[in-house]
Amino acid sequence: MGGGEEEADRQCWQENATGRMWRKRCSIENNYIPSSSSSSSVSASGDSEEEDMGFLEVTVPDMKHPSPELGPMPDGLSPQQVVRRHILGSIVQSERSYVDSLKRILQDYRHPLMEMEPKALSARKCQVVFFRLKEILHCHSMFQIALFSRVAEWDTTEKIGDLFVASFSKSMVLDVYSDYVNNFTNAMSVIKKACLTKPVFLEFLKKRQMASPDRVTLYGLMVKPIQRFPQFILLLQDMLKNTPTGHPDRLSLQLALTELETLAEKLNEQKRVADQIAEIQQLIRSVSDRSSLNKMLNSGQHQLLLCETLTETVYGDRGQLIKSKERKVFLLNDMLVCANINFKGQLEISSLVPLGPKYVVKWNTALPQVQVVEVGQENSTYDKDNVVIQNAGAKKHASASQSSNKVYLGPPRLFQELQDLQKDLAVVEQITLLISTLHGTYQNLNMTVAQDWCLALQRMMRVKEEEIHSANKCRLRLLLPGKTDKSGRPISFMVVFITPNPLSKISWVNRLHLAKIGLREENQPGWMCPDEDKKSKAPFWCPILACRIPAFSSNALDLQLGAVVHNPVQSSLLGFSAVSTSLPQGYLWVGGGQEGAGGQVEIFSLNRSVPRTVKSFPVASQVLCMEYIPEKSKEEQEEGKAEDSRAAADQPSAPHPTICLGLQDGSILVYGSVDTGTQCLLTCSPGRQPVLCLKHSPEYLFAGLQNGTVAAYARNNGGLWDLEAQPTCLEVGAGPVRTLLTLDDTVWASCANQVTVLDAASLQAQQTFEAHPDEEASVTHMIKAGSGVWMAFSSGSSIRLFHTETLEHLQEINIATRTTFVLPGQKNVRVTSLLICQGLLWVGTDQGIIVLLPVPRLEGIPKITGKGMVSLNGHCGPVEFLAVAISTLAPDVLKNDKEEEGGQEEKPDGPSPELSALDKPPAGEMRKKGILLKYRLHSTSHLPGQLLSVKDAPPAPGGSTLEHSEEDGSIYEMADDPDIWVRSRPCTRDTHRKEISSVAIISGGRGYRNFNPSSKLPACSETDSTLLIWQVPLML
């Protein structure tokens, strides 16, 4: 089936004659002669690595191929040409350094070890350690030869992208790097074992390191191949940024980025799987062969989702810290395992090669029985009357006074102390009222003293709130099941872990929550990977079906779904667990209705794990489309303002976010967001033609109409759309305008099988191109990613990719080849919805099946490079829409105490001016301004009493700016610090990330259907309009 599938996915990539000649020339110049034998086993006898790749090596002197060198810079170059020349120089220098490092590994380590007598390392172990390094060197030697000729002619051609495409799109490159990456952990293990058992080998490594000019260890050299493609990606991103549109190298650079990103993604995934297997094997070795845990781990049914070194803390009965110890905690897909870490070996060895730990399993428990308990939320987490809680690790005290159910586990005492302070403040307020009725004057019994009491209590409450928040940020408290006591009551024990930073805490809570959802029947499995062996498991990052809910609260009417949008609104009341487990914060607007009758809008709150309806209202006609329009950013608001800042401040501010609705009767309605009352701000009717689609640009609101017209509404002075004025109408064809797409400076409008490109500023048509050869195949959906646009059509099962700049048709994919794995024989498939989110192309079909296809995330061409996955959860009818809900976690949630103390002071969150500065408390307390108070209902801002001194905190100078997004290539970086590599400690750069996104995908259609033939769930349930919501693991 795989071969037929590849033929069905008609690829439109063209490889020019120069690329083919280059490959042939390089293979001849490097004297590669195909051999008849081929093997890929690392453990094969003998040392000939060349036989493993199916090639025989003929040595070529280096002088035959000099390294590439840029000549003197010619005169008259533009600034961009100068920058491109410098980037090319960086590529040349980086490649030269990399090739030198590969040669050092072979010449300084492999060759001496092979020739050494007596052997410090056997020939077979040498083959394991240096597996595929010679082939990697050969690949880059070939690349250097071609780079030499390209550099020599740079000032006349200025092309480099096609060279990367031709060099790194070959399967041989992926094969050798995959073998190397997958073998890396094994190679390090062999080196570590040899260091511990053979002093002569250890001495050899130390001498080689000391003899090298840069003192780089063997580990430091061998990790370079893992880092090579991320470096290439960053260099090509810089090159692309300095390559103008229309340049002959631009499309080639975008294709090169696609090839390198795809290669890096595959290597990352293979490295992750290899590390997962190594970790589980290390864990299995620490468990008794006869234990049930050993049998479960050896069954092959367990997937490692997360493992990290955490610090377990044990508290006494008064909340004091008794002891703390590092543990390795493993989160599997259905169980949680905690192990002691036992490091053995000499310190000098760990400086040369990472030392892996040995584990001793402390406890393991089934995942459904694990509960996360936040400070102050104990009573709502478990049945207090029927559960006895013990503090794990603390000595049992037999005193009768402690036989009650009240326990103190350190930080929970803070919440009790806060409640006591609140009660005391209420008493002091009553005393203050009584003091105010005194007729006489008494020392230390007057209003000034009483108000000082109130002020002091409020200050103590603020400190206690900060302590509670700090306790939650990096403290993971888990309630685990234990044995029953003599009376038969279950005994649970609390385990408290300190995470390295708040990001780690959020990651653990999020993964624990999603792993539990993943155990539900509809997610066992939730996705099918269409491989020939059908044994491939869905990766750990795949979306998980979190819930399915009716789209409309009223079941009396048969309402059809029309559109959905997400209105992101952050809530300051959500605690750490809620932030980590809830759907993206904000509201979900769902519109629909009955054809020829009225419409309906349903608004759901997403600030929880299951959406809840907060408002429902009718509209005059069926809702066909919706568009969410965020408020202008600060930069956009500042553009065009008067030079006088004071005058600018007096101008009316930009409107709040709005939601635009397009109706069947031709009306356009503009609503305010839920937080501003959901009032209808504007209404208009551009004609009696149904509004099929809505899109906005900074200056216009575009409406695609049934009669082939695009109506453009400009903004008025208040910032809203001027719907009362006559819109600018643009004729794009005779048929309906089914879909619109706004790009940077253009708007694409579809009519039949044609797409018209409009200038977003002048509203003039630039050009029209044919998107499909069949005139009956109308363009129904357009979605952009990187430098490409994917399109779906009203007939046929194919989707097509076009370049945003040249409008060239680049790729065509037949979706039916994927859906036949779920519904065999059903080849008449039509695509009904499209969505691109976080490197995945979601495709909804008229059969209710949803297909997931991987696409690159960066600025390259979003071509589909894998077979993807098919959801086993879908609808009974067509997937009417696919939408994404995304919100950003507040930056302050991710800060740890050290960052807060060392950072700039920020204004506190929310309307609490008394939290700003109260008689200058200690510096450590004053600096913790950037907090999200998770117990807002207990905040001092809601307490009675007059405040004596209130002053605003000084604004943070300079303001905070977000760091680069995923487009900087950092998502591919691999940790090269041995401590990170072995102990799974987070990279220091991760602690400074300011933006973490929570993502959910929403699909809408008739009913719910489970396509798993072995599932006991009903094949096709209710036919009412239903929403399926997938939660995506936090991208940390």
Side-chain angles (χ1 to χ4, degrees):
M1 189 69 188
E5 181 179 344
E6 295 300 326
E7 292 178 6
D9 294 343
R10 191 171 136 233
Q11 305 290 334
C12 296
W13 306 100
Q14 301 297 325
E15 187 182 59
N16 56 30
T18 10
R20 290 191 293 270
M21 289 174 60
W22 178 85
R23 289 191 187 183
K24 187 174 181 181
R25 184 185 70 192
C26 288
S27 63
I28 295 173
E29 288 180 347
N30 279 272
N31 295 285
Y32 270 143
I33 305 171
S35 90
S36 57
S37 61
S38 175
S39 170
S40 59
S41 174
V42 182
S43 60
S45 59
D47 304 322
S48 175
E49 297 176 36
E50 294 76 23
E51 291 183 3
D52 291 333
M53 278 303 296
F55 290 102
L56 295 175
E57 178 192 3
V58 180
T59 305
V60 180
D62 289 339
M63 63 184 68
K64 183 177 178 181
H65 303 291
S67 59
E69 293 287 349
L70 267 172
M73 185 179 299
D75 299 329
L77 296 182
S78 68
Q80 275 192 328
Q81 286 178 308
V82 173
V83 173
R84 281 170 55 83
R85 216 171 183 278
H86 284 308
I87 297 171
L88 178 66
S90 298
I91 293 174
V92 170
Q93 181 182 357
S94 170
E95 184 65 10
R96 183 188 301 120
S97 173
Y98 178 60
V99 170
D100 288 344
S101 296
L102 296 176
K103 290 179 179 177
R104 275 177 61 182
I105 298 174
L106 297 176
Q107 294 172 1
D108 295 353
Y109 289 92
R110 182 186 184 277
H111 296 340
L113 285 172
M114 293 291 290
E115 298 168 359
M116 185 182 297
E117 291 294 343
K119 298 285 188 185
L121 202 64
S122 68
R124 186 182 62 82
K125 289 182 179 178
C126 278
Q127 182 182 352
V128 173
V129 170
F130 304 105
F131 186 57
R132 294 299 187 229
L133 274 168
K134 293 178 74 174
E135 286 82 5
I136 292 176
L137 177 58
H138 291 325
C139 290
H140 286 268
S141 297
M142 294 163 63
F143 177 65
Q144 260 197 334
I145 296 168
L147 188 61
F148 172 78
S149 60
R150 194 56 60 92
V151 167
E153 57 190 27
W154 175 258
D155 293 317
T156 57
T157 61
E158 280 199 26
K159 291 193 69 176
I160 192 71
D162 58 333
L163 177 60
F164 277 90
V165 173
S167 301
F168 299 108
S169 61
K170 295 181 287 189
S171 60
M172 182 183 74
V173 177
L174 176 61
D175 291 342
V176 296
Y177 267 97
S178 295
D179 288 344
Y180 182 84
V181 167
N182 295 341
N183 182 65
F184 185 78
T185 304
N186 191 27
M188 293 300 107
S189 176
V190 172
I191 295 176
K192 179 197 72 174
K193 201 167 186 179
C195 287
L196 294 172
T197 57
K198 296 188 176 182
V200 62
F201 179 73
L202 176 60
E203 191 64 25
F204 170 79
L205 292 185
K206 291 165 64 177
K207 286 182 177 179
R208 287 295 176 180
Q209 180 194 2
M210 296 304 295
S212 62
D214 52 11
R215 300 291 194 272
V216 176
T217 63
L218 175 59
Y219 172 82
L221 292 172
M222 292 188 65
V223 81
K224 289 182 182 292
I226 297 177
Q227 302 166 328
R228 188 58 190 144
F229 291 109
Q231 293 166 351
F232 271 152
I233 288 171
L234 293 175
L235 288 167
L236 288 189
Q237 281 182 310
D238 288 339
M239 185 71 84
L240 183 61
K241 289 175 185 175
N242 291 279
T243 304
T245 303
H247 192 285
D249 198 29
R250 188 165 173 83
L251 178 56
S252 298
L253 284 171
Q254 291 167 339
L255 290 172
L257 262 179
T258 297
E259 293 295 342
L260 292 175
E261 183 186 354
T262 302
L263 188 58
E265 284 280 7
K266 289 179 179 177
L267 294 178
N268 276 357
E269 179 64 15
Q270 291 178 4
K271 179 71 164 62
R272 187 195 66 79
V273 172
D275 289 347
Q276 177 194 79
I277 294 172
E279 284 283 7
I280 292 181
Q281 289 300 319
Q282 183 78 356
L283 182 61
I284 290 175
R285 285 193 287 269
S286 66
V287 181
S288 170
D289 293 340
R290 297 182 179 180
S291 68
S292 58
L293 178 61
N294 186 287
K295 295 178 181 178
M296 286 190 289
L297 293 176
N298 274 308
S299 66
Q301 301 298 317
H302 297 276
Q303 191 176 19
L304 182 64
L305 305 181
L306 185 63
C307 67
E308 191 176 18
T309 300
L310 305 178
T311 303
E312 183 181 358
T313 55
V314 178
Y315 297 96
D317 55 355
R318 294 186 303 275
Q320 77 276 18
L321 180 66
I322 296 178
K323 63 179 179 179
S324 63
K325 189 173 182 180
E326 286 189 337
R327 311 284 190 197
K328 192 63 173 282
V329 186
F330 301 84
L331 174 60
L332 304 177
N333 58 303
D334 60 352
M335 72 170 68
L336 191 68
V337 181
C338 177
N340 292 332
I341 303 174
N342 183 17
F343 280 95
K344 291 184 179 180
Q346 306 171 34
L347 186 61
E348 59 178 349
I349 299 177
S350 64
S351 65
L352 295 171
V353 62
L355 284 175
K358 291 184 177 180
Y359 303 130
V360 178
V361 173
K362 194 169 185 286
W363 51 260
N364 66 280
T365 186
L367 209 53
Q369 299 173 308
V370 179
Q371 298 182 60
V372 177
V373 182
E374 291 287 17
V375 175
Q377 299 176 351
E378 289 85 354
N379 294 346
S380 61
T381 305
Y382 54 88
D383 187 353
K384 187 176 179 181
D385 297 328
N386 296 319
V387 175
V388 179
I389 299 180
Q390 294 182 352
N391 187 3
K395 293 181 179 179
K396 295 181 180 179
H397 298 272
S399 60
S401 62
Q402 294 183 358
S403 60
S404 65
N405 197 35
K406 187 175 182 180
V407 294
Y408 295 100
L409 300 174
R413 290 193 62 201
L414 298 174
F415 193 75
Q416 181 63 46
E417 291 169 359
L418 177 63
Q419 291 178 324
D420 293 341
L421 287 172
Q422 289 172 337
K423 294 175 183 177
D424 292 346
L425 181 63
V427 173
V428 172
E429 288 290 342
Q430 295 176 5
I431 295 174
T432 303
L433 291 175
L434 292 174
I435 290 176
S436 65
T437 62
L438 291 174
H439 296 284
T441 303
Y442 306 95
Q443 187 177 6
N444 295 331
L445 192 61
N446 51 54
M447 283 298 295
T448 303
V449 172
Q451 288 173 339
D452 283 344
W453 291 348
C454 293
L455 185 65
L457 282 170
Q458 288 174 340
R459 186 187 307 124
M460 293 170 65
M461 290 176 63
R462 184 183 68 82
V463 172
K464 200 63 61 178
E465 285 177 326
E466 290 186 352
E467 290 177 355
I468 289 174
H469 179 71
S470 178
N472 270 340
K473 282 194 300 185
C474 293
R475 188 167 274 107
L476 179 65
R477 304 171 72 237
L478 302 178
L479 190 64
L480 307 175
K483 299 178 180 179
T484 57
D485 62 4
K486 295 181 180 179
S487 63
R489 288 192 302 175
I491 296 179
S492 295
F493 62 96
M494 188 81 73
V495 180
V496 182
F497 293 108
I498 305 299
T499 62
N501 52 57
L503 187 61
S504 172
K505 160 74 178 291
I506 291 174
S507 176
W508 275 100
V509 177
N510 176 258
R511 294 294 166 84
L512 279 165
H513 172 71
L514 293 183
K516 287 183 179 182
I517 296 177
L519 294 176
R520 296 174 184 170
E521 186 175 359
E522 61 265 28
N523 291 314
Q524 289 290 319
W527 298 89
M528 175 188 287
C529 297
D531 290 331
E532 292 180 358
D533 55 6
K534 295 187 179 181
K535 294 180 180 179
S536 299
K537 294 181 180 179
F540 76 106
W541 46 258
C542 72
I544 297 173
L545 182 63
C547 58
R548 57 182 191 269
I549 57 174
F552 300 105
S553 54
S554 173
N555 294 326
L557 300 175
D558 183 20
L559 300 176
Q560 299 176 5
L561 286 170
V564 63
V565 292
H566 175 235
N567 174 22
V569 177
Q570 283 198 352
S571 172
S572 60
L573 294 176
L574 294 181
F576 255 82
S577 286
V579 167
S580 309
T581 60
S582 69
L583 296 165
Q585 297 180 40
Y587 300 93
L588 192 70
W589 291 56
V590 180
Q594 290 179 307
E595 189 171 355
Q600 186 79 9
V601 174
E602 198 91 6
I603 303 177
F604 297 88
S605 170
L606 298 183
N607 296 338
R608 57 193 69 243
S609 56
V610 178
R612 176 178 60 90
T613 300
V614 294
K615 193 164 187 177
S616 178
F617 59 90
V619 291
S621 181
Q622 182 181 4
V623 179
L624 300 182
C625 56
M626 304 173 81
E627 175 80 344
Y628 169 72
I629 303 174
E631 57 185 336
K632 286 188 176 182
S633 64
K634 292 181 179 179
E635 293 77 9
E636 291 175 333
Q637 293 179 34
E638 291 173 357
E639 289 180 3
K641 281 188 177 181
E643 294 183 1
D644 187 355
S645 60
R646 293 184 180 180
D650 295 335
Q651 294 178 358
S653 60
H656 290 285
T658 55
I659 290 88
C660 299
L661 278 61
L663 305 186
Q664 176 78 34
D665 64 2
S667 301
I668 297 177
L669 309 180
V670 180
Y671 286 85
S673 64
V674 175
D675 284 2
T676 56
T678 326
Q679 73 272 28
C680 186
L681 305 176
L682 294 170
T683 180
C684 83
S685 180
R688 303 304 299 174
Q689 297 295 323
V691 181
L692 303 183
C693 50
L694 288 169
K695 287 293 177 183
H696 79 282
S697 70
E699 301 303 328
Y700 290 97
L701 174 66
F702 299 95
L705 307 181
Q706 179 80 31
N707 62 354
T709 301
V710 175
Y713 294 89
R715 288 186 186 268
N716 58 24
N717 294 331
L720 287 170
W721 311 110
D722 193 357
L723 298 183
E724 296 180 358
Q726 193 67 20
T728 303
C729 292
L730 312 168
E731 296 288 341
V732 296
V737 179
R738 293 177 177 267
T739 180
L740 293 168
L741 179 66
T742 52
L743 302 182
D744 294 334
D745 51 1
T746 60
V747 179
W748 290 22
S750 76
C751 186
N753 65 333
Q754 306 280 324
V755 174
T756 301
V757 181
L758 307 170
D759 186 276
S762 66
L763 303 182
Q764 298 297 316
Q766 293 181 346
Q767 62 187 118
T768 300
F769 66 95
E770 185 182 85
H772 199 284
D774 185 2
E775 294 183 0
E776 300 298 323
S778 299
V779 180
T780 56
H781 298 85
M782 294 188 291
I783 192 78
K784 177 186 179 292
S787 300
V789 173
W790 279 101
M791 297 185 188
F793 304 90
S794 59
S795 62
S797 57
S798 294
I799 55 175
R800 304 181 121 217
L801 173 64
F802 292 85
H803 191 218
T804 55
E805 298 169 12
T806 65
L807 309 182
E808 182 181 349
H809 175 213
L810 299 175
Q811 190 180 22
E812 183 168 350
I813 294 293
N814 184 7
I815 298 300
T817 60
R818 272 76 176 179
T819 59
T820 51
F821 283 92
V822 177
L823 294 177
Q826 296 282 344
K827 295 185 177 181
N828 296 324
V829 180
R830 182 171 55 87
V831 176
T832 57
S833 50
L834 282 181
L835 175 72
I836 286 184
C837 178
Q838 293 190 340
L840 293 174
L841 173 62
W842 294 66
V843 183
T845 68
D846 59 344
Q847 298 174 336
I849 299 174
I850 296 173
V851 178
L852 232 57
L853 299 169
V855 293
R857 306 181 189 207
L858 305 181
E859 310 93 313
I861 305 298
K863 72 168 186 174
I864 293 170
T865 55
K867 297 178 180 179
M869 300 184 295
V870 180
S871 175
L872 294 178
N873 296 291
H875 297 278
C876 301
V879 180
E880 299 292 349
F881 55 68
L882 287 164
V884 60
I886 185 167
S887 67
T888 303
L889 272 62
D892 296 325
V893 175
L894 308 178
K895 290 183 179 179
N896 54 31
D897 292 339
K898 294 180 181 178
E899 288 179 304
E900 287 180 346
E901 292 174 4
Q904 298 173 339
E905 292 187 5
E906 301 175 22
K907 287 186 178 181
D909 178 67
S912 306
E914 68 273 17
L915 297 185
S916 301
L918 297 176
D919 295 349
K920 297 283 184 182
E925 299 171 10
M926 276 297 296
R927 286 175 182 153
K928 295 181 182 178
K929 295 298 178 187
I931 66 170
L932 279 178
L933 200 57
K934 300 309 174 189
Y935 298 90
R936 181 69 65 191
L937 295 178
H938 304 289
S939 169
T940 53
S941 63
H942 295 277
L943 295 173
Q946 182 182 2
L947 294 172
L948 298 180
S949 59
V950 176
K951 56 184 178 180
D952 294 333
S960 60
T961 57
L962 296 178
E963 292 184 354
H964 293 297
S965 67
E966 293 175 340
E967 290 189 354
D968 62 3
S970 60
I971 52 176
Y972 306 109
E973 292 181 11
M974 304 291 292
D976 55 355
D977 181 358
D979 196 42
I980 299 169
W981 181 75
V982 175
R983 302 173 72 114
S984 302
R985 293 191 183 281
C987 280
T988 54
R989 60 176 167 267
D990 290 340
T991 61
H992 300 295
R993 290 185 61 182
K994 296 295 190 297
E995 192 169 294
I996 303 295
S997 295
S998 173
V999 178
I1001 307 297
I1002 301 97
S1003 73
R1006 289 286 183 181
Y1008 162 75
R1009 181 176 180 182
N1010 187 276
F1011 293 96
N1012 187 358
S1014 59
S1015 173
K1016 297 179 182 178
L1017 292 170
C1020 193
S1021 59
E1022 69 277 0
T1023 57
D1024 292 334
S1025 295
T1026 304
L1027 301 181
L1028 302 183
I1029 300 181
W1030 281 268
Q1031 202 163 347
V1032 181
L1034 289 178
M1035 302 300 292
L1036 304 175

